[in-house]
Amino acid sequence: MKIVVCVKHVPDIQSERTIGDDGRVVRDGGDGTLNELDENAIEAALVLAETHGGEVVVLTAGPADAVDAVRRGLQMGADEAVHVLDDALAGSDVFGTAAVLAAAIGLVEEEGPVDLVVTGMAALDGLTSMLPAALAAELGIAQLTLASAIDVVEGSDGTRVTVRRELDHATEVLSAMTPALVSVTDQANEPRYPNFKGIMAARKKAVTTFTLADLGIEPAAVGSSGSRTRVLSATARPARENRVLITDDGEAGRTLATYLVDNKLV
Amino acid sequence: MSGSPAGPVLVLLDHTADGMLRPAVLELLTLARGLAPDAVVEGAWVGGDPGPALGELGEQGLVSVHHLDVGVAEPHLTPVVAQALGALVTATGARLVLGVSSFENKEVAARLGVATGAGVVTDASGLELDDDGAAVADKTVFAGTWNTRCVVTAPVAVVLLKANAVQAEPASLVTSPAVVEHVVEIGELALRQTLVERTERAGSGRPELGAAQVVVVGGRGTNGDFGPVEALADLLGGAVGATRVATDEGWIAHDAQIGQTGVTVAPRLYIGAGVSGAVHHRGGMQSAGTIVAVNSDPEAPIFEIADLGIVGDLFVVLPQAIEELRRLRG
């Protein structure tokens, strides 16, 4: 089974995250990291490959720093890494990114069919959660999204993937034959930490770099020029004013009640 | 707000299996009516019979509801919804589609974007039209620490709005919506996945967490005893939420988890009890109107964003507050 895991390099959520005058996330602060939720995707792919045999390719599209994200995937145990690196990618929206990742998966497929594409449930910078469904649509394969549990059964008629997912109002079980895209939630597993052996082994693994020209994608179709939305303004939210911090002296419950009534909150 | 979109504004009418509207849809309809003086708002209803909701939709002044009959296809599958909605966008010439921001609708919007070239904004907290009729949406990002405003530059815009973005209000003129029937042929691509099982969660008797005006949240500090949290929520007519720790410990169901990967809430009043305020949690509640926090740890990060912070024992403070609220209300 060949599995491609799509990952993103994002600003560390514990760092001071900012948006530049161009309306884009500032990505060169040196605080970049593999999107935490993508670790669940890598873990899910590694477990599937360990259980059913096969190889795991980690794929990212992004600036030079983004190679750190796929390297982390290699350290965790992935076999190969692909980095789509092109200046024209800057400012891509989810649809540009989906088109680029789909084209890159197409190139990976030249060395053998891809059975599963695995992603995280969201990237902790944009948090739109749209990439998995957009990518499945671009690839024309089944989408099994927001999996908190994955079950793979290999049969004589092909491989069937079944996932359980928790939605706002319901729990669902979805199923499809491969090829399919699976996105996993942070409930799906506990991602492993790269061990020393993994870190050493990753040093010997090469990262294949593709440009947009390799993918046959026109630069104008992606990046800011291809984006279907434009940021008009971005401002840091002002701190809340008139904040009060008290220590309970035996009256804090009554203070709380009075506060709610006085501020017409109840 | 001045320009008018060409074609109708389509509102995706999320509903339960038995045909009742999800409450947040009423907010979308209220917002859509106010977008432009001559805005034509039409509903999009996928699967089932819209009959049970027509009364409520009439109170929202809706003139027509498009019933998208997907035949034997499963109307809960988001690729099916996306394809049906795509067909309706083409048929009506709609330039703006509104939906409630939910996990399912984000999938619908993503697929609609791929199929139609539409531009999408998710988790919007506000929406208006610019002079050219283009959709301009407000959205907070980075765990609620930045406010952004963006315009959809593609010919078709899909905007998903968070619950509580506006207050739902009835229209001044009550209508009897006409149901326009469409039979949509669902293609093979949308049928590649099958729905094996779907279990709708039973209501808790409390307001829906994502849409509630008041949310009382329990965290690690409850040590698994949600008694005072639930009592305060019930007194205030609010919903009960939880942190990741509390759901992981099994103290409360996973669907109560507030945060970047769980439910995002923007209530008028948020009360956190024994909640430390990790960045993951803050990302799901920081746009609340008023934030109250009770925690025994004076260093808890939630105190950095609380309008009223109380360093104290929640098992003392909450019961006292409940007693006092009862007294003040007579």
Side-chain angles (χ1 to χ4, degrees), chain B residues 19-207:
Chain B
M20 302 308 295
L21 281 179
R22 300 279 182 203
V25 172
L26 301 179
E27 298 168 14
L28 297 187
L29 293 166
T30 303
L31 183 143
R33 283 200 311 273
L35 281 175
D38 51 352
V40 178
V41 182
E42 299 179 356
W45 182 285
V46 182
D49 172 18
L54 291 179
E56 228 176 343
L57 292 170
E59 284 168 23
Q60 287 294 324
L62 210 57
V63 176
S64 57
V65 175
H66 298 277
H67 178 216
L68 301 162
D69 179 353
V70 295
V72 295
E74 171 51 61
H76 286 116
L77 285 173
T78 55
V80 172
V81 177
Q83 202 195 328
L85 204 50
L88 185 62
V89 168
T90 309
T92 57
R95 303 282 296 278
L96 177 59
V97 180
L98 303 184
V100 176
S101 216
S102 64
F103 285 129
E104 287 110 309
N105 284 349
K106 287 175 181 181
E107 295 178 7
V108 170
R111 297 189 72 101
L112 198 55
V114 171
T116 66
V120 181
V121 180
T122 63
D123 297 303
S125 54
L127 171 67
E128 53 187 51
L129 301 176
D130 70 10
D131 292 344
D132 303 320
V136 176
D138 294 311
K139 171 172 178 165
T140 65
V141 298
F142 290 165
T145 56
W146 282 70
N147 294 326
T148 66
R149 167 165 275 223
C150 60
V151 61
V152 178
T153 50
V156 177
V158 180
V159 179
L160 302 183
L161 284 126
K162 291 204 292 194
N164 291 339
V166 296
Q167 185 87 34
E169 278 163 27
S172 48
L173 227 62
V174 176
T175 54
S176 304
V179 178
V180 184
E181 294 290 340
H182 303 259
V183 176
V184 185
E185 200 72 44
I186 298 300
E188 190 266 335
L189 182 55
L191 300 174
R192 292 222 171 145
Q193 49 282 302
T194 50
L195 181 64
V196 180
E197 191 183 306
R198 179 180 162 95
T199 315
E200 296 250 348
R201 234 167 262 124
S204 61
R206 297 194 177 99

Side-chain angles (χ1 to χ4, degrees), chain A residues 140 143 145 172 232 237 243, chain B residues 145 149 192-193 198 303:
Chain A
Q143 69 166 57
T145 37
E172 290 182 346
L232 299 174
R237 198 185 161 115
R243 294 190 300 110
Chain B
T145 56
R149 167 165 275 223
R192 292 222 171 145
Q193 49 282 302
R198 179 180 162 95
F303 288 134

Side-chain angles (χ1 to χ4, degrees), chain A residues 48-166:
Chain A
L48 287 174
E50 285 158 7
T51 314
H52 300 274
E55 57 177 331
V56 176
V57 180
V58 271
L59 164 65
T60 196
D65 281 359
V67 75
D68 292 347
V70 287
R71 283 208 188 283
R72 172 87 180 181
L74 291 175
Q75 290 172 354
M76 286 174 72
D79 302 286
E80 290 175 39
V82 176
H83 179 193
V84 184
L85 174 63
D86 200 303
D87 289 345
L89 285 173
S92 292
D93 66 5
V94 61
F95 301 109
T97 305
V100 166
L101 294 176
I105 290 168
L107 282 190
V108 171
E109 285 218 286
E110 288 183 357
E111 290 164 27
V114 171
D115 303 290
L116 271 187
V117 176
V118 184
T119 72
M121 68 182 290
L124 289 174
D125 54 351
L127 272 178
T128 72
S129 296
M130 288 200 294
L131 188 276
L135 182 55
E138 278 285 348
L139 290 167
I141 62 175
Q143 69 166 57
L144 302 170
T145 37
L146 297 170
S148 56
I150 311 170
D151 183 44
V152 171
V153 177
E154 287 166 299
S156 53
D157 57 341
T159 302
R160 175 168 288 283
V161 185
T162 304
V163 304
R164 172 174 294 275
R165 61 190 213 141
E166 307 276 341

Side-chain angles (χ1 to χ4, degrees), chain A residues 181-256:
Chain A
L181 176 140
V182 175
S183 78
V184 301
T185 69
D186 53 350
Q187 304 288 316
N189 52 44
E190 199 59 53
R192 67 194 69 183
Y193 283 102
N195 57 22
F196 181 72
K197 203 174 133 210
I199 291 168
M200 293 310 286
R203 288 190 181 173
K204 297 199 188 79
K205 296 175 188 167
V207 177
T208 307
T209 303
F210 292 144
T211 63
L212 286 177
D214 296 331
L215 302 180
I217 290 178
E218 287 296 321
V222 297
S224 303
S225 53
S227 177
R228 303 173 190 177
T229 52
R230 184 162 45 88
V231 175
L232 299 174
S233 65
T235 46
R237 198 185 161 115
R240 288 170 185 264
E241 287 176 3
N242 306 318
R243 294 190 300 110
V244 180
L245 180 64
I246 61 171
T247 300
D248 185 19
D249 55 357
E251 289 295 314
R254 275 183 275 278
T255 308
L256 168 54

